Amino acid sequence: MADGFIQPRSPIYHRPDEAGLAYEDVTFPSVDGVPLEAWYIPAEGSGKLIICNHPRWFNRSGLTSHLEPWKSFAGATGNDFEINFVPDYRILHDAGYHVLAYDLRNHGHSGSANGGIFTVGRYEYRDVLGSLKYVRSRPDTAALTIGLFSRCVGANSTMYAMQRDPASFEGVRCMVAPQPLSSGVALERALERLEIPVGHLADLDELIYRRTSFHIDEFSPVPWAKSVTVPTFLYQVRDDVYTRPDDIQAMYDNIPAAKELFWIEGTTRRWDGYAYFQRHPERMLAWFDTHMR
């Protein structure tokens, strides 16, 4: 479990042209210089842009969790089906948004950094800031209205970026943030599933600290949510076996900006939360439409 904080990569398995989308392969630096790989998908005549990132293990194209070895990451909990994010970009494009979708550090095709460790937002926040800086540096995107679609660890990273550099989010209109997660809660649930006494969490914390130099409680976005100043729509699989409802509720309660929380019912599979937008995009599109006018 501790070794899981050395980030494995998954392939870029789909591309936007599969959904009939014209796009550019682009690269830009994180604010600490790590090269980030991305797609820019233009929507002709639009004045609005959505910046998209992704969950752990995933990349901008999704996750090949129907294939080994990636199926082994979460297959035992029923999350053994592929997630393809390209349909998400098609929906956003057709709704009138330019899209920038990028790989976080140590994911997809972006650069390796920090010894390849996964820090649940503590270093990945720099990539969020890099994406904003890039958009504002391009002549054809500098004046666009910006919204954020920050998924899972991408949402954690965005919240931490808001704590570290709130000025970079001036002018950002809103965020849709599916399934942010506190590692401590997820690891407790994992110990329960494996029938390992939760008292061993301290042992696991020590092993993670040796690999990352961070303790588990330093990976929680609950305190970071206090720095969220843009209108934010959270959604989460309520019975997700990787977390507990009180974790996302605590994040939601701490957000001082306009906010909404939506629970996905009738499943325990976390992946159903990642697929929810392409299945039922209406609430999220309404949020973007309301706040990006």
Side-chain angles (χ1 to χ4, degrees), residues 188-244:
E188 285 181 12
R189 295 302 308 273
L191 292 176
E192 291 168 2
R193 289 194 304 275
L194 296 169
E195 299 183 349
I196 298 171
V198 175
H200 285 292
L201 188 63
D203 302 322
L204 179 56
D205 180 67
E206 173 62 22
L207 293 173
I208 291 170
Y209 188 68
R210 293 178 190 178
R211 287 156 177 77
T212 69
S213 302
F214 290 104
H215 290 292
I216 292 170
D217 62 4
E218 296 180 274
F219 293 147
S220 174
V222 172
W224 308 340
K226 296 177 182 178
S227 299
V228 174
T229 56
V230 304
T232 297
F233 182 93
L234 296 178
Y235 63 97
Q236 169 70 45
V237 171
R238 188 190 294 273
D239 296 324
D240 177 4
V241 296
Y242 282 90
T243 188
R244 293 190 302 262

Side-chain angles (χ1 to χ4, degrees), residues 88-240:
D88 294 28
Y89 309 141
R90 176 85 241 186
I91 291 167
L92 291 169
H93 174 273
D94 290 352
Y97 297 102
H98 305 274
V99 175
L100 179 72
Y102 67 96
D103 296 333
L104 295 166
R105 65 186 56 210
N106 300 317
H107 292 74
H109 287 172
S110 285
S112 298
N114 314 112
I117 60 172
F118 171 65
T119 64
V120 204
R122 300 292 302 223
Y123 289 139
E124 295 86 355
Y125 86 91
R126 299 169 183 172
D127 308 339
V128 176
L129 297 177
S131 71
L132 289 167
K133 187 174 182 179
Y134 172 69
V135 165
R136 290 164 173 157
S137 72
R138 277 181 62 139
D140 59 341
T141 60
L144 296 178
T145 299
I146 299 171
L148 306 174
F149 192 10
S150 299
R151 306 177 181 98
C152 186
V153 69
N156 290 28
S157 303
T158 303
M159 292 182 191
Y160 192 55
M162 291 176 175
Q163 177 176 299
R164 293 295 301 263
D165 187 3
S168 288
F169 293 87
E170 292 179 7
V172 174
R173 296 293 183 84
C174 64
M175 175 167 64
V176 170
Q179 309 202 128
L181 186 71
S182 292
S183 289
V185 176
L187 292 168
E188 285 181 12
R189 295 302 308 273
L191 292 176
E192 291 168 2
R193 289 194 304 275
L194 296 169
E195 299 183 349
I196 298 171
V198 175
H200 285 292
L201 188 63
D203 302 322
L204 179 56
D205 180 67
E206 173 62 22
L207 293 173
I208 291 170
Y209 188 68
R210 293 178 190 178
R211 287 156 177 77
T212 69
S213 302
F214 290 104
H215 290 292
I216 292 170
D217 62 4
E218 296 180 274
F219 293 147
S220 174
V222 172
W224 308 340
K226 296 177 182 178
S227 299
V228 174
T229 56
V230 304
T232 297
F233 182 93
L234 296 178
Y235 63 97
Q236 169 70 45
V237 171
R238 188 190 294 273
D239 296 324
D240 177 4

